[in-house]
Each structure stands twice: as C-alpha cells, then as structure tokens.
Amino acid sequence: MHRVHIGTSGWAYPSWKPDFYPAKTPSSKLLDYYSTQLNCVEVNYTFRARPAVNTLQNWVAGTPDGFTFVAKAHQRITHIKRLADVDQDVDAFFAAMQPLLHARKLGPVLFQLPPNLKADPDRLAKFLKGLPKVAPSAIEYRNPSWFDEKTYSLMREHNVALCIAESDDLAVPEVFTANFAYYRLRKSDYSEQEIEQVEARLRAAAHEREVYAFLKHEETPEGAINARKLLQKLTS
C-alpha cells in the first residue's frame, strides 16, 4: 500500500479532553499530543489569515518527522476572487507556506470552492495552469455542476486531486484525478459499520496512490477518535 495520512480538520479543541486528549494537557501542547496519535492535520486557519512565520516554525518544531500539514487556501483565492486572476494571490499563499515546505511537512493545498460557484471550464483551465508545482493541490467543488468528465480531464492534465467529500447534503463521486487521493469525511455521524466501509474505501485507494483523509472536526472528539482508529487499522 501507498502511504496513508489521516487526521481531522483542526486540533485546537480542549473539549476533546479527556476522551482524546489526556485531561491535563495544556492548550499549548495539544498539537504535540495530536501528532503522536495522528500523522496529518488539515489547517482551516489559513483560509482566513496568513500565519506568522514563527507560528509555522512552532508547528514544525512541535511535530515529529513524517507529520504533514494540509493547508486550506485563502478565501481571497476561492471565495472573493473565485479563481479568476489569482496567480499573484496563489504565489503569495505558497510563499507564506515556505516554513512548512522547507521542513518537508507541507502536504496538499486544498482549494475549497463556494457552493454557488458553478462549473466554468475556462476559468478552471486558467487557474490550473497557474498552480505552482512545489506542492500538490486538491479542489473541493461544492456545486454538483462540476462533476463531469470535462472537469476531471482538466484536473488529470495538471495532476490536481478531486476532493472526495461527503456530508449530510452532498456526496462527491469517488473519482481519482491525481497520483494521490484526498477525502473529506464530513457526515454529522458515522456508525461503526460506516467507519469499516470508510476503511475499505481508503485501503482500496491506497493500493493505487497516496491517500489523505480528514474527518469532521467539532467540539466533540468522535472525529479524532475515529481518525485514530482508521489510522491504526490502515497502518498495522
């Protein structure tokens, strides 16, 4: 199997104590502990702000070799300018991620599009052409009009992954468009049987390509507990 990276979307949840984090873990040590249990995290913070260099350096220092940060692209790219004329913004975003890049701890960058952005192949083609190659990229479409072969073909051309997202409202087709797979598992609840089904899907994908998978983060620790369970099963 190829490498499997599993985590949650965020880690700074003291309410995960004591079921995931030990009861006395201080807030400043949550990431340190998280990185002993899971090998990847999706960072939502970068969607709204540019992290300070010393913040990224602290993340690097607090996590072991092999741990990976996946950054969500800034909303200026995806929601404000909606992928149009964003080459400079994209370059600036990747430049801000340099501390993670230099430490070899930056995984894919996720471009999450707004639900009201409908399919526009020309806009997508121009955007994909301007993506840097220093790190892999994935796109999460939240409007069903994007789910067709024209979209998939453009993405395959640039080795950009279709984010296979599922929620209570939308399920993205399980289509692979890159040499890695990206899953966002966002249903409000997963039964034991559904977690077993997720494990089978990730295992099948990992036979062909590297896999990144993130479970929903909320105030309750179930997502982190399920992520840990999946990682243990897939790496044992």
Side-chain angles (χ1 to χ4, degrees):
M1 287 204 331
H2 292 262
R3 187 151 188 228
V4 177
H5 311 259
I6 299 182
T8 58
S9 303
W11 69 82
Y13 296 94
S15 57
W16 291 1
K17 296 187 260 186
D19 295 320
F20 181 76
Y21 292 122
K24 295 183 179 180
T25 309
S27 294
S28 62
K29 295 296 182 181
L30 293 180
L31 177 59
D32 300 49
Y33 182 82
Y34 175 103
S35 66
T36 68
Q37 305 298 299
L38 297 164
N39 62 359
C40 196
V41 70
E42 188 182 72
V43 182
N44 285 306
Y45 177 74
T46 51
F47 177 73
R48 301 193 180 278
R50 178 178 294 184
V53 170
N54 67 326
T55 297
L56 298 182
Q57 290 172 337
N58 288 337
W59 292 356
V60 167
T63 53
D65 290 345
F67 187 84
T68 305
F69 294 89
V70 169
K72 188 185 288 187
H74 196 277
Q75 61 182 337
R76 177 174 172 83
I77 299 167
T78 55
H79 287 59
I80 298 171
K81 299 180 78 172
R82 298 161 71 89
L83 303 188
D85 302 317
V86 292
D87 285 358
Q88 289 185 340
D89 302 288
V90 169
D91 288 344
F93 181 83
F94 277 86
M97 296 298 109
Q98 282 299 316
L100 298 181
L101 267 170
H102 287 157
R104 297 187 176 181
K105 289 191 174 182
L106 180 65
V109 170
L110 175 66
F111 296 87
Q112 182 191 64
L113 303 189
N116 62 359
L117 181 56
K118 294 183 178 179
D120 184 336
D122 291 339
R123 182 187 303 229
L124 178 63
K126 290 175 185 174
F127 170 73
L128 293 172
K129 197 174 291 186
L131 281 177
K133 304 300 183 188
V134 293
S137 296
I139 301 178
E140 181 181 0
Y141 302 104
R142 293 190 288 170
N143 189 295
S145 62
W146 289 98
F147 304 140
D148 63 23
E149 192 52 45
K150 187 174 288 187
T151 298
Y152 306 148
S153 178
L154 283 169
M155 296 179 75
R156 288 189 182 104
E157 188 180 328
H158 295 275
N159 194 38
V160 172
L162 173 71
C163 174
I164 302 166
E166 61 182 30
S167 67
D168 295 334
D169 303 316
L170 179 69
V172 174
E174 195 148 343
V175 175
F176 303 112
T177 58
N179 61 0
F180 68 99
Y182 194 117
Y183 291 82
R184 298 189 92 224
L185 306 165
R186 318 288 294 173
K187 288 182 180 178
S188 54
D189 187 41
Y190 285 90
S191 67
E192 193 67 37
Q193 183 180 12
E194 286 172 321
I195 289 297
E196 289 176 2
Q197 292 167 351
V198 168
E199 179 197 346
R201 289 165 61 194
L202 300 185
R203 190 180 296 279
H207 281 298
E208 303 294 332
R209 51 186 51 81
E210 199 165 2
V211 170
Y212 294 83
F214 301 97
L215 279 85
K216 188 174 185 178
H217 69 293
E218 289 298 344
E219 294 305 313
T220 57
E222 279 75 20
I225 292 168
N226 283 331
R228 180 168 59 190
K229 196 180 302 180
L230 282 167
L231 184 63
Q232 289 169 349
K233 289 181 175 181
L234 289 164
T235 57
S236 60

